Amino acid sequence: MARGRRKATPNADAADGAAASGEADGGESLRGMDRTFAVLERLAEQPARAVDVTKDLNLPWATVYRTLMQLEKAQFLRRDAATGRYEIGPALWFIGTSYIANHRVLKAVLPHLHRAERLEGVAVQLSERVGRLSVNVYSAQPLAEDITKAHYGYHFPLHCGSKGKVLLAHSDPAFIESFLAGPLERLTDETVTDPEVLRAELAELRSAGYSLTLGDVQPFTGSVAAPVRDETGAVVACISFVVRRSMLRQEKRRAELVDELLRAAHAGSMDLGWRPGQSPA
């Protein structure tokens, strides 16, 4: 699936807030917010018609229709008249650009990403974990190359691609087990979905300091990714290089890419206050 689509779930933090508020009408209001969040997440992953949202979220048609109308009116969504599909609208883009403009990690690593962009045939990305997905906050590649699905807007489950595996490997152990216990989507014939194999891969990449995958997101691409750490030693993002699969089959070229990747990730981490040998707080 083009954007790693999954079934959206209500926002747990909002539900906790409803329980804590103690207001007579607060619970109903926040449950409504949960539904709104779920609809937005579903459409952020992939545009869809109202009937598809209703089916995927298992919600009443009237509830979904009313939510879509309200979000469209506020420009959080827009509807394609030709297809009937709803997609993210300009108001959410405004909010998203505000997030990027104030993104501390991106500001720190951007000079190192720009240096990596000089590499021939490489799409350079900075990604972070959002729920069960790896999400790009920065993506750039040579115009002559144009590797498909390496642009903004393509987000994949954490078990797919080197960036997802890096972010998953450095997540809370309870989250890792919860993720591996859930349904694991197969994007290609080479996507690893066996939890035991994935556990071994996650342990190996934590030891190596980077991840390398081939053909598990698209059959003709491969990628390498390394973690970015903050001043506490915690992994807050990762840098990844997406390339044609054939490039990673060349031993010398693969070694050069890994060296440049680790240089960029380490330099960006140090600009955030991390120091080599530092353990997570």
Side-chain angles (χ1 to χ4, degrees):
M1 296 183 183
R3 303 195 182 189
R5 183 166 63 85
R6 63 179 174 85
K7 180 176 287 188
T9 55
N11 185 293
D13 292 337
D16 290 344
S21 68
E23 297 180 6
D25 62 349
E28 181 61 35
S29 173
L30 287 170
R31 283 196 292 274
M33 290 178 64
D34 287 347
R35 288 193 293 264
T36 300
F37 296 150
V39 169
L40 289 172
E41 286 185 14
R42 169 63 182 84
L43 295 172
E45 292 164 9
Q46 187 170 326
R49 300 170 301 162
V51 65
D52 301 319
V53 176
T54 299
K55 179 180 178 181
D56 288 349
L57 301 184
N58 192 29
L59 290 172
W61 163 262
T63 297
V64 171
Y65 182 78
R66 183 172 60 252
T67 301
L68 291 172
M69 292 300 99
Q70 291 172 339
L71 291 171
E72 183 184 16
K73 183 178 181 180
Q75 293 189 298
F76 287 105
L77 297 177
R78 66 182 179 186
R79 182 178 180 273
D80 186 313
T83 65
R85 298 193 307 173
Y86 289 87
E87 57 190 31
I88 295 304
L92 276 181
W93 173 248
F94 165 70
I95 293 171
T97 55
S98 298
Y99 174 67
I100 294 298
N102 295 288
H103 202 292
R104 173 174 173 255
V105 176
L106 178 58
K107 287 180 179 179
V109 304
L110 196 55
H112 311 294
L113 298 178
H114 287 331
R115 171 174 165 170
E117 288 165 23
R118 302 172 190 158
L119 299 170
E120 184 178 355
V122 177
V124 178
Q125 301 177 338
L126 179 72
S127 307
E128 58 188 10
R129 180 171 76 82
V130 179
R132 295 173 61 88
L133 300 174
S134 60
V135 175
N136 292 338
V137 296
Y138 181 87
S139 181
Q141 61 177 306
L143 292 176
E145 185 62 29
D146 193 23
I147 299 173
T148 60
K149 300 183 183 178
H151 304 284
Y152 285 114
Y154 289 97
H155 315 307
F156 302 101
L158 293 170
H159 65 291
C160 303
S162 61
K163 61 185 178 184
K165 290 182 178 179
V166 165
L167 295 170
L168 179 60
H170 294 283
S171 296
D172 181 81
F175 173 81
I176 295 175
E177 290 308 310
S178 173
F179 181 91
L180 295 179
L184 300 175
E185 183 178 2
R186 188 182 297 275
L187 299 184
T188 74
D189 290 342
E190 296 178 84
T191 304
V192 178
T193 57
D194 184 314
E196 291 305 317
V197 175
L198 285 169
R199 284 190 186 91
E201 288 189 359
L202 299 181
E204 181 179 352
L205 78 84
R206 281 191 290 263
S207 175
Y210 71 95
S211 174
L212 186 153
T213 64
L214 294 171
D216 63 336
V217 172
Q218 301 181 95
F220 58 89
T221 64
S223 65
V224 289
V228 174
R229 299 179 182 273
D230 66 9
E231 67 278 5
T232 71
V235 172
V236 291
C238 75
I239 297 174
S240 62
F241 296 165
V242 182
V243 299
R244 298 289 174 180
R245 181 174 184 155
S246 57
M247 188 181 296
L248 291 175
R249 288 176 173 155
Q250 305 167 26
E251 183 176 351
K252 180 179 179 182
R253 185 65 171 137
R254 182 173 66 246
E256 291 172 348
L257 287 174
V258 170
D259 284 347
E260 183 63 26
L261 170 73
L262 293 176
R263 185 210 65 78
H266 287 178
S269 297
M270 291 185 70
D271 286 349
L272 286 167
W274 171 81
R275 294 295 177 263
Q278 178 181 351
S279 299

